[in-house]
Amino acid sequence: MSPTPEWPVAFFDDDYLRIYRPQFLPERTDAETRFIAASLRVPAGGEVLDLACGVGRHAIGMARLGYRVTGVDFNPRYLELAAADAEAAGVSLTWRAGDMRALEFERAFDGAYSYFTSFGYFDDDENEQVLAGIAKALRPGGSVLLEMANRDRLLTHPQERTWSQREDGALLMEEITLEWVSSRVVSRQHLIDPLGGSQVTKEFSLRTYTCAELSALLRRQGLHVRAVFGGAEGQPYVPDSRRLVIVAERAR
């Protein structure tokens, strides 16, 4: 019997795109991309790594701003979609299929980012491996931005269920549970078609970190925190912020 694939392999498929792509409105992506660029402070025309780039919405936006962008994702199907969108947008990027735990770059980038909770997929040792690969991939003085769910808020909202109706009429229900001992958040999403079409159910398990924990992990890799935000508007980080954004710089 073949081994069960790791959860990201099963989670990030076409059904994931059915759930999430309608949320990624162009104005949202544009605002997030400008925030990434301003936070990283990469020189004009600099080289940038988009780690877990998915279908490339931020990578393409960064290329439009004049950066030389490499997008890495484990899913070749997503990279095909990203390449098609980049061609339609008239920008050129480099796309690489690969595992974020085994990055092969060395001093290749002026900046890197991992956006929309794409850090924390694995166990603690493997997550630190990801950070080590990012640190190695950055040039001295280069910066990395990590954006994810805020664990401190999850402590006060350990179990949540939300319902939202999308423009296409579908209902999306999400149940979030925080596992106290492991500090992993489990999210179950159910997409219900009001016309009786197929129902999509997805689940992920993600290691969440406090701001202090993540800052310590970054320092251990020679990455020193320069800024912390509570979201893409650049607002101050507070315990009740829904998002945690950390920007760290590799020592020169």
Side-chain angles (χ1 to χ4, degrees), residues 64-245:
R64 280 176 166 153
L65 293 176
Y67 299 104
R68 290 175 288 164
V69 183
T70 296
V72 173
D73 201 275
F74 76 87
N75 189 327
R77 158 80 172 149
Y78 285 9
L79 295 178
E80 289 175 9
L81 295 171
D85 286 349
E87 184 176 358
V91 291
S92 177
L93 297 88
T94 300
W95 306 106
R96 293 268 191 97
D99 190 319
M100 68 171 71
R101 293 165 290 187
L103 297 177
E104 298 178 350
F105 306 106
E106 186 166 358
R107 297 192 174 204
F109 299 101
D110 304 297
Y113 58 92
S114 169
Y115 208 89
F116 198 54
T117 313
S118 52
F119 175 76
Y121 291 168
F122 312 110
D123 65 28
D124 287 0
D125 290 340
E126 289 178 317
N127 288 334
E128 194 161 358
Q129 243 176 278
V130 174
L131 294 181
I134 293 172
K136 184 179 176 183
L138 287 173
R139 297 183 176 117
S143 296
V144 58
L145 180 149
L146 303 175
E147 192 270 358
M148 63 197 69
N150 175 26
R151 181 184 178 275
D152 283 353
R153 186 180 189 279
L154 292 170
L155 288 175
T156 56
H157 301 74
Q159 291 185 310
E160 271 193 321
R161 176 180 291 178
T162 60
W163 290 87
S164 56
Q165 185 158 27
R166 306 194 325 183
E167 288 186 3
D168 61 3
L171 288 173
L172 178 62
M173 188 268 279
E174 182 172 16
E175 298 174 290
I176 296 175
T177 304
L178 179 65
E179 297 178 344
W180 299 101
V181 175
S182 63
S183 197
R184 296 190 77 89
V185 62
V186 176
S187 173
R188 296 177 183 86
Q189 293 132 356
H190 308 277
L191 184 66
I192 302 165
D193 186 339
L195 301 179
S198 62
Q199 179 174 320
V200 176
T201 300
K202 307 291 287 180
E203 177 176 315
F204 70 76
S205 167
L206 194 86
R207 171 68 156 95
T208 57
Y209 294 90
T210 67
C211 183
E213 275 184 305
L214 195 52
S215 298
L217 287 176
L218 288 162
R219 280 197 305 274
R220 207 146 67 198
Q221 301 302 328
L223 298 164
H224 300 281
V225 174
R226 189 178 71 218
V228 179
F229 303 103
E233 292 79 27
Q235 62 267 49
Y237 170 75
V238 295
D240 203 45
S241 298
R242 286 190 172 271
R243 311 299 293 174
L244 166 63
V245 185

